C-alpha cells in the first residue's frame, strides 16, 4: 500500500473493495468514519445499496428467503438449518415442513412433526417444469387469507401412503422413515394418470364440441326443411287460387 497526501493508507490500484450488504446513508457514514480513524483511504472502495435507497423494505424486513430445510444423503434424511450468530432473526426452519391451517390460524410445523395429509404447501417446480401457474387474482386472494391451492402430486402421494399405513408422517423428519422410492413411484404414476386424464378430458371436449356442431347442423337442416315445406304450401295455395280464377 501507499500513502495519500493526508497520510492515509491506500490499497494498490489493482485491488478494489466493494461493500453492498447493509449499506444505507447512515451506515455508509459509519464505515467511512471507521476507515478514517483506522488510517485507511477510501479511494479504492465502492459502495452499493438496494432496498435502503427507498423505504428499506427488503428480504430481511419481509422475512422472505429460500433456504434448504431437508436433504437426503446416502439414503438418510437430514434436517438442514441456517442459524446466523449475528442475526437470530434469520434462523431458518429445519427438517420436513408442513403448512397447516387450524381455525383460521396458519402454522409451519418443522422437523417432520406435522401431518402431510393436512399440508397446504404446494409443489410449484419440479425438474425445470412449472406445475402451478397461478393467476394474479388467485395470488391476491391467497394474500388476503383465502385458501387457494391445488393439491400437489407429492401431497396426494403422501396422503395415500398415510392411509395405507406404509408411511408414518410423524417419523419422517426424525427417523427418515420415508420410503423415497415408493413416493417417487407414486408420483410418477400420479403424473402418468394426470396426463391420461388430461388427454381424456381433451378427447371428451372434442367429442362434446363435435356433438354440439352436429346438433346445430341438424337444427339448421330441420329449419331449412320447414321453410321448404312452407314455401311449397304457399306455392300450392297460390296455384289453386290462380286456377280457380281462370275457371
Amino acid at each position: 500500500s501507499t500513502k495519500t497526501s493526508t497520510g492515509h493508507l491506500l490499497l494498490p490500484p489493482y485491488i478494489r473493495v466493494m461493500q453492498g450488504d447493509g449499506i444505507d446513508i447512515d451506515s455508509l457514514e459509519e464505515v467511512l468514519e471507521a476507515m478514517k480513524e483506522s488510517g485507511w483511504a477510501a479511494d479504492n472502495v465502492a459502495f452499493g445499496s438496494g432496498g435502503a435507497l427507498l423505504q428499506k423494505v427488503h428480504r430481511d424486513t419481509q422475512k422472505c428467503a429460500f433456504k434448504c430445510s431437508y436433504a437426503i444423503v446416502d439414503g438418510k434424511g437430514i434436517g438442514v438449518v441456517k442459524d446466523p450468530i449475528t442475526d437470530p432473526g434469520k434462523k431458518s426452519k429445519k427438517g420436513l415442513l408442513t403448512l397447516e391451517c387450524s381455525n383460521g390460524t396458519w402454522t409451519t410445523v418443522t422437523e417432520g412433526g406435522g401431518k402431510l395429509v393436512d399440508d397446504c404447501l404446494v409443489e410449484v417446480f419440479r425438474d425445470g417444469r412449472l406445475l402451478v401457474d397461478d393467476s394474479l387474482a388467485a395470488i391476491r386472494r391467497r394474500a388476503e387469507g383465502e385458501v387457494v391451492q391445488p393439491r400437489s402430486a407429492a401431497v396426494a402421494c403422501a396422503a395415500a401412503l398415510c392411509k395405507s399405513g406404509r408411511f408414518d408422517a410423524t417419523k419422517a423428519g426424525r427417523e427418515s422413515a420415508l420410503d423415497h422410492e415408493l413416493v417417487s413411484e407414486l408420483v410418477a404414476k400420479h403424473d402418468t394418470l394426470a396426463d391420461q386424464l388430461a388427454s381424456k378430458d381433451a378427447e371428451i371436449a372434442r367429442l362434446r364440441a363435435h356433438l354440439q356442431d352436429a346438433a346445430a347442423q341438424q337444427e339448421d337442416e330441420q329449419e331449412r326443411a320447414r321453410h321448404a315445406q312452407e314455401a311449397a304450401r304457399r306455392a300450392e295455395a297460390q296455384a289453386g287460387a290462380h286456377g280457380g280464377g281462370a275457371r
Side-chain angles (χ1 to χ4, degrees):
S1 62
T2 59
K3 283 192 176 183
T4 65
S5 59
T6 58
H8 292 85
L9 293 174
L10 178 65
L11 292 173
Y14 51 83
I15 297 178
R16 294 287 188 271
V17 176
M18 178 176 289
Q19 176 64 34
D21 189 20
I23 295 298
D24 59 24
I25 191 170
D26 296 319
S27 63
L28 175 59
E29 183 176 354
E30 293 175 1
V31 172
L32 291 175
E33 188 63 32
M35 292 183 64
K36 178 182 177 181
E37 292 178 359
S38 300
W40 285 98
D43 293 40
N44 304 68
V45 182
F47 296 93
S49 185
L53 292 174
L54 300 173
Q55 293 82 15
K56 207 170 184 178
V57 176
H58 44 63
R59 290 188 302 114
D60 292 342
T61 57
Q62 297 297 303
K63 299 297 183 183
C64 176
F66 293 89
K67 295 183 176 70
C68 175
S69 66
Y70 185 77
I72 301 172
V73 180
D74 295 330
K76 181 180 179 181
I78 298 175
V80 181
V81 63
K82 175 182 178 180
D83 190 6
I85 297 177
T86 56
D87 191 351
K90 290 185 178 181
K91 182 178 180 179
S92 63
K93 295 177 173 60
K94 181 180 180 181
L96 289 176
L97 309 178
T98 58
L99 179 63
E100 304 176 20
C101 185
S102 177
N103 298 322
T105 300
W106 291 93
T107 303
T108 300
V109 185
T110 63
E111 300 188 62
K115 298 179 181 179
L116 290 185
V117 290
D118 296 330
D119 188 14
C120 292
L121 290 174
V122 175
E123 186 180 14
V124 177
F125 296 100
R126 186 199 305 158
D127 299 332
R129 289 193 299 133
L130 182 64
L131 305 180
V132 177
D133 190 8
D134 273 334
S135 65
L136 180 58
I139 294 173
R140 285 173 170 167
R141 294 202 307 273
R142 188 182 297 112
E144 293 296 329
E146 182 180 346
V147 179
V148 184
Q149 64 98 25
R151 283 175 69 86
S152 68
V155 172
C157 292
L161 285 171
C162 289
K163 291 179 180 179
S164 68
R166 302 182 68 180
F167 171 44
D168 186 349
T170 62
K171 292 182 179 180
R174 295 190 295 272
E175 301 178 10
S176 305
L178 178 59
D179 189 339
H180 300 285
E181 292 184 0
L182 181 58
V183 170
S184 298
E185 180 183 351
L186 287 173
V187 170
K189 289 182 178 179
H190 178 279
D191 290 345
T192 300
L193 289 174
D195 291 341
Q196 292 176 350
L197 287 174
S199 177
K200 293 294 183 182
D201 289 341
E203 182 178 354
I204 291 173
R206 287 194 297 271
L207 289 174
R208 184 180 289 114
H210 177 72
L211 290 174
Q212 290 174 347
D213 291 342
Q217 183 178 357
Q218 185 177 13
E219 289 181 0
D220 291 341
E221 291 177 353
Q222 291 175 348
E223 186 68 20
R224 284 196 294 270
R226 284 195 295 269
H227 287 310
Q229 291 174 356
E230 291 176 1
R233 285 196 295 268
R234 287 195 297 269
E236 290 178 0
Q238 291 176 357
H242 290 311
R247 291 192 299 271

